[in-house]
Amino acid sequence: MSEILQTCTIKVSFGDCDPAGIVYYPNHFRWFDATFHALLQRFGGHAAVSRKLGSIGIGLIEVGGAFRAPAEDGDALVLTARLVEWREKTLRIAYEGRIDDRLTVEGFEVRGLFIREDGQLRAGRMAPLREMLEAGAGTADA
């Protein structure tokens, strides 16, 4: 199995920063989400993947982050996502953000594949998503 990676470069702007001039921490979570969605674009995007899998969507169940160093206006943050743990009904994604060689943020998301079953919203099996992503495995930059 090939490792599935997605890398995005985020140009930090003034509007991403708080009054102290450093990135306002919730923006990191927005960028994690954008990097995951950039990975799905390789397969037609979130809506197309969800349709192919008969799901409502691939949603967040848990998220966390550790902020190692500040990012500021004008920085180019390189954010890398790795799909690190597949379970029956969840996927764990690890994120690492760097500015040059400096680690600035580490984080994770746990996502589920949501389906409707018997009129209820439920977590579906992740195997079909895993098979789809592994068939197109590799590294991509956005």
Side-chain angles (χ1 to χ4, degrees), residues 59-137:
L60 283 172
I61 296 171
E62 183 179 358
V63 64
F67 309 103
R68 306 296 183 196
E72 302 172 287
D73 181 21
D75 285 339
L77 175 67
V78 177
L79 191 59
T80 301
R82 288 181 172 77
L83 309 188
V84 295
E85 183 180 6
W86 292 94
R87 294 196 170 192
E88 183 180 352
K89 295 189 176 186
T90 61
L91 162 63
R92 185 178 184 92
I93 306 152
Y95 293 92
E96 182 180 277
R98 292 186 173 274
I99 298 169
D100 299 319
D101 291 331
R102 181 172 47 106
L103 179 64
T104 60
V105 65
E106 294 176 292
F108 73 91
E109 293 177 329
V110 176
R111 288 186 173 262
L113 184 70
F114 297 108
I115 61 171
R116 283 232 182 259
E117 186 176 271
D118 300 324
Q120 299 289 321
L121 187 61
R122 302 193 187 282
R125 292 182 53 252
M126 295 300 285
L129 176 62
R130 183 177 187 171
E131 291 166 10
M132 179 187 294
L133 297 182
E134 287 179 349

Side-chain angles (χ1 to χ4, degrees), residues 17-34:
C17 299
D18 64 17
I22 60 175
V23 168
Y24 181 53
Y25 77 93
N27 286 321
H28 290 288
F29 296 111
R30 181 170 56 92
W31 296 330
F32 292 171
D33 186 63

